[in-house]
Amino acid sequence: MKDAVSLLCTGLAVGAIVFAAPARAQTYDPKYPVCLQVYEGMVNYYFECSYTTMAQCAASASGRSASCVVNPYYAKPASRKKQPHK
């Protein structure tokens, strides 16, 4: 009985490894504030972060299975501090 349980667990572990789908790395380019989320099927999607405005992204998304989202990792440009006049 112990061998059967061990064999079953081993088989399940091997099956999970063999049939696991490869993961796609999601990259958010921190240089752009807007990303296009493109859907491939019901649950698969990827991001294209190369847009500076929502309008620019919306034009690219038009007619596609896609939507525009705010880039959560956008690195805003450093603001300049005003130097006092002497």
Side-chain angles (χ1 to χ4, degrees), residues 38-46 65-66:
V38 182
Y39 301 98
E40 297 177 324
M42 297 295 274
V43 293
N44 297 327
Y45 57 88
Y46 64 93
S65 178

Side-chain angles (χ1 to χ4, degrees), residues 6-45:
S6 176
L7 183 62
L8 178 64
C9 289
T10 303
L12 287 173
V14 169
I17 292 170
V18 170
F19 293 109
R24 174 184 272 178
Q26 292 187 1
T27 55
Y28 293 93
D29 190 343
K31 293 184 263 179
Y32 297 98
V34 181
C35 299
L36 178 68
Q37 183 175 6
V38 182
Y39 301 98
E40 297 177 324
M42 297 295 274
V43 293
N44 297 327
Y45 57 88

Side-chain angles (χ1 to χ4, degrees), residues 20 23 25 27 30 32 34 37 45 47 49 55 59-60 65 67-68 74 81:
T27 55
Y32 297 98
V34 181
Q37 183 175 6
Y45 57 88
F47 291 96
C49 296
S60 183
S65 178
S67 63
C68 298
Y74 175 57
K81 292 184 179 180

